[in-house]
Amino acid sequence: MSANDPSSEATCASHLPTHPVACQRVDVVTGSRLHFGLLSTQPVDRVCYGGCGLMIRRPSVHVRAVRSDRFRFAGEFESRCREVAQRFVDHFGLTALPPCDLQLLQSSDAHAGLGSGTQINLAVATALTTLFQMPISLEQLAAEIASRGRRSAIGVHGFAHGGLVVESGIPEGQTLGRLSATQPFPSHWRILLVRPRQFKAHVHGGVEQAHFAQLAAAAPAERDALLAIMNDEILPAIIAHDFDAFCESVSRYNHTSGMLFAPVQGGAYNGPQLEALVATLRDAGCQGIGQSSWGPTIFAFCPDQDSAEAMRQRLLSAGDGNRLKIEITQARNKPASVCAKRQSSECEVE
């Protein structure tokens, strides 16, 4: 039987499945996360952070786990993936790393503003919990095994749902930001991902922690203004497939949220290089421009594939191809795919 036949040996699911017969192999495929911006950098009315973002198809992450006699790893980011495996051991009280061949077959670049760390960690954690039939909630998976979502949970909820993700923030005493809404994104709209080929002002780890320590909380009026743009403009524009309204509102939201970080990044965008890149895209006629997370990826939206290709060519023709990496992608309107097999033969994945 084919792997597409529901009566065959393959079982595909979009959540954390359990299987009555032991799985021999699991493939997990997810996308990347655009972050449009936080609602606040510190607690406001006992709620931290919050914000909105979008899951995109590419760059994608593909993790495979196959039962074996001992733990082995192949691929990039080995230390990261081994740390996830060790937290899996610690959480379930095991005595050794799980006996499997763990592979990171595809991933996006680290520290590009696309949430690669969260997607890799969640994919590895999901592969292991599925392969070894260890049921666990999304909150526990994220916090205790993947060790993600401590500030923004856009990537965590995006992994679980896909599409546009609206998060209201982390309530006092909770570990994961509260999901307010998810919404399928127009499938024909396209996203340009543009970033400098050379960029030194990456923000992650201790640098990121130090930056947040210097930031004051958003004033209640600032947070309310961001909430209004998010709930009353961005979300309705997506539902109505109103491209121009969406682009105007998401760009304004991103700039407003970015100004909360001005004390550490020098303005709404992370330094003069990205400020200049935003101006370049604006001068070229791009719409819906913004910085994803700390950058260096700058996003812009196009109404269809043809216009995205034309805009990419316009930027390349202007001589920006030597200094910029330009990709075209689209929204990922589905959760991470989980394909579990009771045999280690090929599993049909995305």
Side-chain angles (χ1 to χ4, degrees):
M1 299 181 194
S2 72
N4 288 327
D5 187 334
S7 62
S8 72
E9 65 184 10
T11 303
C12 292
S14 59
H15 49 87
L16 307 182
T18 58
H19 300 278
V21 178
C23 294
Q24 295 299 314
R25 169 179 159 177
V26 175
D27 284 86
V28 181
V29 177
T30 183
S32 293
R33 179 272 295 136
L34 288 183
H35 206 303
F36 296 157
L38 295 177
L39 297 173
S40 179
T41 57
Q42 300 291 343
V44 176
D45 296 331
R46 300 184 180 180
V47 177
C48 294
Y49 312 119
C52 62
L54 177 70
M55 290 300 292
I56 54 177
R57 288 191 183 182
R58 293 182 302 275
S60 62
V61 171
H62 181 182
V63 169
R64 176 176 296 162
V66 182
R67 285 183 183 261
S68 183
D69 59 337
R70 60 188 175 89
F71 183 85
R72 289 180 286 260
F73 178 81
E76 295 184 280
F77 306 112
E78 179 172 3
S79 61
R80 167 182 291 279
C81 295
R82 281 184 173 271
E83 288 170 2
V84 177
Q86 184 60 55
R87 287 191 293 269
F88 171 84
V89 169
D90 297 341
H91 177 78
F92 290 108
L94 308 178
T95 58
L97 289 174
C100 67
D101 291 323
L102 183 66
Q103 298 173 273
L104 180 58
L105 299 173
Q106 192 168 11
S107 65
S108 60
D109 294 339
H111 314 310
L114 297 175
S116 63
T118 294
Q119 298 307 306
I120 291 170
N121 285 21
L122 288 170
V124 170
T126 299
L128 294 177
T129 53
T130 304
L131 185 66
F132 294 101
Q133 300 177 278
M134 301 291 200
I136 188 171
S137 69
L138 177 65
E139 290 76 14
Q140 287 182 309
L141 185 89
E144 299 179 25
I145 300 181
S147 189
R148 307 302 289 186
R150 293 176 180 174
R151 289 192 184 93
S152 172
I154 299 297
V156 175
H157 293 304
F159 181 89
H161 299 279
L164 179 85
V165 176
V166 176
E167 178 210 338
S168 60
I170 306 174
E172 189 175 39
Q174 301 297 311
T175 59
L176 191 68
R178 189 167 46 206
L179 179 65
S180 294
T182 60
Q183 177 63 40
F185 197 79
S187 60
H188 57 285
W189 292 0
R190 294 293 184 267
I191 305 112
L192 284 176
L193 305 178
V194 186
R195 60 185 166 105
R197 293 187 181 276
Q198 300 294 326
F199 185 77
K200 296 182 179 179
H202 295 285
V203 178
H204 59 91
V207 174
E208 183 178 36
Q209 292 179 17
H211 279 2
F212 270 99
Q214 297 177 55
L215 296 172
E222 292 176 309
R223 188 173 186 274
D224 289 345
L226 285 164
L227 276 169
I229 300 171
M230 185 172 72
N231 294 325
D232 300 337
E233 297 185 51
I234 293 176
L235 194 56
I238 292 173
I239 294 171
H241 287 212
D242 188 333
F243 179 78
D244 290 337
F246 166 76
C247 287
E248 192 282 328
S249 59
V250 77
S251 184
R252 182 159 39 89
Y253 176 93
N254 184 261
H255 185 276
T256 303
S257 176
M259 287 305 295
L260 300 177
F261 294 84
V264 295
Q265 63 178 11
Y269 310 108
N270 188 16
Q273 188 178 7
L274 297 188
E275 188 89 37
L277 178 53
V278 168
T280 295
L281 297 183
R282 189 180 296 119
D283 291 344
C286 290
Q287 293 180 265
I289 304 167
Q291 173 181 293
S292 182
S293 188
W294 293 102
T297 296
I298 302 297
F299 57 79
F301 291 85
C302 298
D304 51 46
Q305 182 70 27
D306 288 345
S307 61
E309 294 283 2
M311 182 58 70
R312 181 176 184 274
Q313 190 57 47
R314 185 180 306 170
L315 293 168
L316 293 174
S317 299
D320 292 319
N322 293 328
R323 66 184 183 89
L324 299 177
K325 183 176 182 179
I326 307 171
E327 300 174 88
I328 299 172
T329 188
Q330 63 193 103
R332 180 184 175 93
N333 284 321
K334 60 182 178 179
S337 66
V338 182
C339 187
K341 297 275 285 188
R342 290 192 285 269
Q343 294 182 13
S344 58
S345 58
E346 283 299 312
C347 183
E348 185 168 309
V349 294
E350 299 173 38

